[in-house]
Amino acid sequence: MIRRRFTVAAALAGLAVTGVAAQPAAASPAPTVPVRLLSLNDFHGNLEPPTGSSGTAVDEHGASVPAGGAAYVAAHMKRLTDRNTLKVAQGDLIGASPLISAAYHDEPSVQFLGDIGVTASAVGNHEFDEGYKELQRIQFGGCHPVDGCSPAGKWKGAKFDYLAANVGQGKLKLPILKPWTIRIVNGVPVGFIGVVTKTTPTIVTADGIKGLTFDDEVAAANRASKQLKALGVKAQVLLVHEGDQTPAGQRPDACGVVPGAGTRIAKDADPEIDAVLAGHTHQQYVCSVTDPKGQPRLYSSGSSFGRIITQVDFQVNKATRDVVRTSIKADNHVVTRDIDPDEDTQTFVRTWKDRVATIANKPVGRITADLTRVPSPAGETTLGNVVADAQLAAMKGQGAQIALMNPGGNRADLTFAPSGAEGEGVVTYGEAFAVQPFSNVLGVTTLTGAQLDALLEQQWTSAGEKILQPSASLRFTIDRSRPVGDRVSAITVDGAPVDPAASYKVAANNFLLGGGDGFTTFTQGTGQVLGPIDLDALVAYFGTASPVAPPALNRISGQ
């Protein structure tokens, strides 16, 4: 790879010399040339306009307006594109996607992004949802090894480069994808480096990244930056799937970030890097930070679900081939739906929607009222309870006594009101999929009562609180006024107090069983056996337990 890049760099250098030599003295080139970047992050396969709060964005006036949808992304991109434009992204383009994209392993979304001209993207943690080998298939092409080819035929691979500078394989940390890539605009090279949050191993399924290492983002970015500089590429942009939080309701071009992991990367990365475009936290902001040499550097993020396009304009000095930092200007554009959508993209989306309609509209059960992710004071939800009950039912044959569900794995509410023509209270496959889109495998592991107690104490960490959703067979009390590590008491299984020395069989998805979300006690379990996909378990539960009523929120006591 490096040898090939040196060849490209040498060729570029030769072209530059030839170009200068061919210019008459009176027609010397301008000292700088313009470059425009248009970027997206955290698209998550939202080909159709997202709905609810996920389908609105706060605009420049502070108003919440409908935003997003592939046809509107394409239309806004066309308006913002000029001859100096490169389009890039910051990861989580796929994964945790609506059924229209996920049913065919997100090939439709990757096709759309390539069609609108995305040329490079950092990998995000959700790019690893189906494992790194599936990510490589998405990059390089080929039909899915289990499900085969989609209705569109053999997958040809992404038209853009996925970049993963801080992801390595094995002891030698061999790259699984390119760490960086180079593009030429107006005769000058621009280098793009891609890194993903180093916390990825804690938030994806362990089996899918087995054998991979996720290095510190800054260290990896700095290595890549030095490689680009050695090739004569001084205009550099870091695409990073990590970011920070902002106050609620912040306007798109405000900064206001709460400094965290994203700010650290933006400030500490090699000073040769001219701009840091971020993602992961689904926030919108445009900030300026100071690099290690004391120079200002752009640090921005563009919300999620195709609701924001970030525009970055700058000048590159033709003699030095470096970015003129003072020329950098950024603007987060809301992808409003008050313009005409792109017709070709509308046709593309409609085609894929038709392809999944038969699957999506199939009724799988009924509910008597909304099942939501709205928590009780203790952190329990009606939807979480039902999902945990479904997982316990699926794993009863493997001896499961209780089930626990991570709240972040439930991605949508189930409403009694119909979303289409299915009728009130009807749950369709598409709606069930929206709740459980990750295709996690369920399993059962054996924990002692003491380990179960330790596991429940891990609901609080320095990173915040994540309350596990329990099946009806599990009860416990929490007291947030007590120190972390001593907040859980009165644990019962099937009404009997838990014995610290006894063994209990606990069902959960393989994300949790692998220690995801910081629940590392799960990895101490023994005798693990696996079962069905979580979505299949939920669909089966609706098939046998319907109509399903919202469970009482009394499995977790206290506050």
Side-chain angles (χ1 to χ4, degrees), residues 438-442 531-538:
F438 295 115
S439 296
N440 284 325
V441 176
L442 297 182
I533 298 292
D534 53 6
L535 174 60
D536 293 342
L538 185 61

Side-chain angles (χ1 to χ4, degrees), residues 81-98:
T81 298
D82 62 18
R83 63 184 298 272
N84 312 305
T85 299
L86 292 171
K87 298 166 186 175
V88 295
Q90 292 93 262
D92 275 11
L93 305 181
I94 60 177
S97 305

Side-chain angles (χ1 to χ4, degrees), residues 96 102 105 129-130 147 205 429 433 436-442 509-510 532-536:
H105 302 280
D129 280 351
E130 294 190 54
D147 295 334
T205 301
Y429 184 86
F433 177 89
Q436 300 263 264
F438 295 115
S439 296
N440 284 325
V441 176
L442 297 182
N509 59 49
N510 59 342
I533 298 292
D534 53 6
L535 174 60
D536 293 342

Side-chain angles (χ1 to χ4, degrees), residues 346-362:
Q346 274 192 314
T347 300
F348 175 84
V349 173
R350 190 179 305 114
T351 297
W352 284 103
K353 186 172 183 178
D354 290 343
R355 286 169 174 166
V356 303
T358 303
I359 301 171
N361 295 333
K362 180 182 178 181

Side-chain angles (χ1 to χ4, degrees), residues 404-425:
L404 289 165
M405 176 62 193
N406 54 307
N410 294 326
R411 305 297 284 194
D413 297 337
L414 289 175
T415 60
F416 183 77
S419 60
E422 73 274 14
E424 290 186 338

Side-chain angles (χ1 to χ4, degrees), residues 43 72 152 169 186 210 255 265 378 442 465 513:
F43 184 67
Y72 295 100
Q169 183 177 19
N186 289 326
K210 188 175 182 179
C255 182
I265 297 166
L442 297 182
E465 174 184 277
L513 293 174

